[in-house]
Amino acid sequence: MTGIVSKELEVLGALLAFDFIGFAQKSAALDPADPHYGRAVGAAFGLAARRRFPRGATSREISEYVADVLGSLDAGAEDFDPAFLEHLVADGLHGGAEPDGEHLDPETTIQARLVLTLRLVRELGLDPGQQRELLAEAALRVAA
């Protein structure tokens, strides 16, 4: 599992650094068939969500947040079901690395978490050092 964790966190790290060429190259190396696919990104997403909403959030706050995120996307908002994103945010706030209930395919789940994590990290104002700390903490959580 260590290989998939480091690869996923490299993908997320490239995205956070706005290294879109590296992001595309590293993303291509991920295997959606791996049973641990998405866990590391899920862990980083959950950490960022709990930092953004340290006291949790009501369903309405989550819904408003997702609407704001989708409204801010230049393109691609139509790729994401708002109810699914709300579910991911709620699961992330409760420490869930695996979404409960209905699942979309692993690719959609990881893409949604990548988009949301990028947004959360930007809102939190995490500098590159703090971003590396977030990724390291996510790696530790997945390894535990």
Side-chain angles (χ1 to χ4, degrees):
M1 180 166 65
T2 303
I4 188 79
V5 169
S6 62
K7 286 179 186 177
E8 282 187 24
L9 295 178
E10 287 174 7
V11 167
L12 181 54
L15 179 63
L16 296 177
F18 292 105
D19 174 7
F20 298 116
I21 293 171
F23 173 76
Q25 292 170 339
K26 292 171 190 312
S27 293
L30 295 178
D31 179 9
D34 187 298
H36 301 291
Y37 181 75
R39 287 190 61 209
V41 169
F45 163 69
L47 289 167
R50 289 186 297 281
R51 288 181 186 175
R52 168 63 174 80
F53 298 100
R55 293 183 182 94
T58 65
S59 296
R60 182 178 181 171
E61 289 170 325
I62 292 170
S63 180
E64 290 172 355
Y65 182 75
V66 166
D68 186 49
V69 169
L70 290 174
S72 72
L73 295 177
D74 291 333
E78 66 280 355
D79 294 340
F80 300 111
D81 174 38
F84 180 70
L85 294 182
E86 291 169 16
H87 192 74
L88 285 179
V89 172
D91 282 351
L93 290 175
H94 295 99
E98 300 296 325
D100 296 328
E102 290 186 35
H103 297 279
L104 291 180
D105 67 281
E107 282 291 309
T108 303
T109 300
I110 198 169
Q111 292 303 322
R113 285 177 169 163
L114 287 166
V115 168
L116 290 168
T117 304
L118 176 62
R119 171 70 180 251
L120 291 164
V121 165
R122 294 292 169 238
E123 288 177 0
L124 291 166
L126 301 184
D127 64 34
Q130 292 168 317
Q131 291 173 22
R132 284 189 297 277
E133 289 173 10
L134 177 80
L135 298 177
E137 187 175 345
L140 288 173
R141 289 189 183 245
V142 173

